[in-house]
Amino acid sequence: NAGVTQTPKFQVLKTGQSMTLQCAQDMNHEYMSWYRQDPGMGLRLIHYSVGAGITDQGEVPNGYNVSRSTTEDFPLRLLSAAPSQTSVYFCASTIPGRGEQYFGPGTRLTVT
Amino acid sequence: SQKIEQNSEALNIQEGKTATLTCNYTNYSPAYLQWYRQDPGRGPVFLLLIRENEKEKRKERLKVTFDTTLKQSLFHITASQPADSATYLCALPTNTNAGKSTFGDGTTLTVKP
């Protein structure tokens, strides 16, 4: 199993540009989440999904959209990038009731 | 909403000693609490989960305690090694949904040879 994969690893955007961060998992996990991590800080939940077709907002959802059309994929869309969205983005998946989350390697995004 | 405090941003210890990291939380008591390890430039890796009815859990050189009265978890690494140097995060479920968790800011442990 590849586990949780994320692309791209690095991205530089100009203010106002849009892009999609990709996340895929091959463990058949129902739950998937997106977090952002700023320097010296913990992870903050952006959006999460409890299954295909079901998504909900986390702590910091503004400026981001998600959709979940399959169990495997959970893309995160930045609608109009802002410098405040400069961060490292992590995708994670988990099995309902198990608790432990499996994280991808992250995408480092810089918005200039 | 749940608020988590981890004892300090950085902890430096000598190789062979026991490292003790603290995680304190406010508000409701969660059904379980988790600890993760994060190395620079990498995603967090799950280490241990302890449930509310468990006082202590061990895995090799790791030990986690969970005191729901004090609203605190302690994470111990015995016989620490330089390879244990990393940032350690504690996490609690935000609700009964396992996919929604709140993370602490982490404690960066440095083990010196």
Side-chain angles (χ1 to χ4, degrees):
Chain A
N1 286 353
V4 180
T5 57
Q6 292 184 238
T7 56
K9 284 190 167 50
F10 301 94
Q11 183 71 49
V12 178
L13 291 178
K14 292 188 187 308
T15 297
Q17 287 184 317
S18 63
M19 80 159 293
T20 299
L21 279 61
Q22 301 291 345
C23 173
Q25 53 94 7
D26 61 359
M27 298 174 284
N28 203 32
H29 288 172
E30 288 184 47
Y31 291 1
M32 296 185 74
S33 305
W34 274 103
Y35 295 87
R36 61 176 287 174
Q37 186 174 40
D38 299 306
M41 294 181 70
L43 299 152
R44 290 186 291 169
L45 183 66
I46 305 172
H47 284 286
Y48 70 103
S49 169
V50 300
I54 307 169
T55 64
D56 202 352
Q57 296 181 350
E59 183 187 351
V60 288
N62 292 342
Y64 307 95
N65 268 0
V66 291
S67 60
R68 183 106 178 264
S69 55
T70 67
T71 299
E72 293 77 21
D73 300 298
F74 190 40
L76 178 73
R77 279 181 284 278
L78 278 70
L79 309 172
S80 177
S84 60
Q85 293 178 305
T86 293
S87 189
V88 181
Y89 291 84
F90 290 102
C91 178
S93 71
T94 190
I95 301 170
R98 287 283 298 272
E100 65 262 34
Q101 297 193 55
Y102 296 81
F103 284 83
T107 294
R108 186 174 296 274
L109 175 69
T110 302
V111 183
T112 61
Chain B
S1 61
Q2 193 65 276
K3 186 173 165 63
I4 299 174
E5 283 186 9
Q6 296 194 237
N7 58 326
S8 60
E9 284 189 15
L11 180 64
N12 299 314
I13 64 168
Q14 209 65 33
E15 183 176 7
K17 300 291 186 185
T18 296
T20 299
L21 285 63
T22 304
C23 175
N24 294 297
Y25 58 92
T26 59
N27 300 336
Y28 66 89
S29 281
Y32 58 82
L33 183 148
Q34 304 165 63
W35 284 90
Y36 290 81
R37 169 182 173 140
Q38 186 174 25
D39 291 289
R42 293 180 173 267
V45 174
F46 171 77
L47 295 175
L48 279 168
L49 180 151
I50 186 165
R51 299 195 181 275
E52 60 180 337
N53 60 349
E54 298 174 312
K55 295 286 186 209
E56 180 181 298
K57 200 154 193 181
R58 292 175 186 262
K59 179 182 175 182
E60 298 172 355
R61 293 183 296 110
L62 308 180
K63 185 178 88 170
V64 172
T65 63
F66 193 11
D67 189 325
T68 55
T69 302
L70 292 178
K71 295 191 176 181
Q72 181 181 81
S73 174
L74 298 179
F75 177 81
H76 306 274
I77 306 175
T78 57
S80 59
Q81 304 166 1
D84 295 325
S85 298
T87 297
Y88 292 86
L89 305 167
C90 84
L92 302 174
T94 305
N95 52 19
T96 55
N97 184 326
K100 198 172 178 183
S101 295
T102 298
F103 282 78
D105 289 347
T107 297
T108 299
L109 173 67
T110 302
V111 181
K112 298 183 179 178

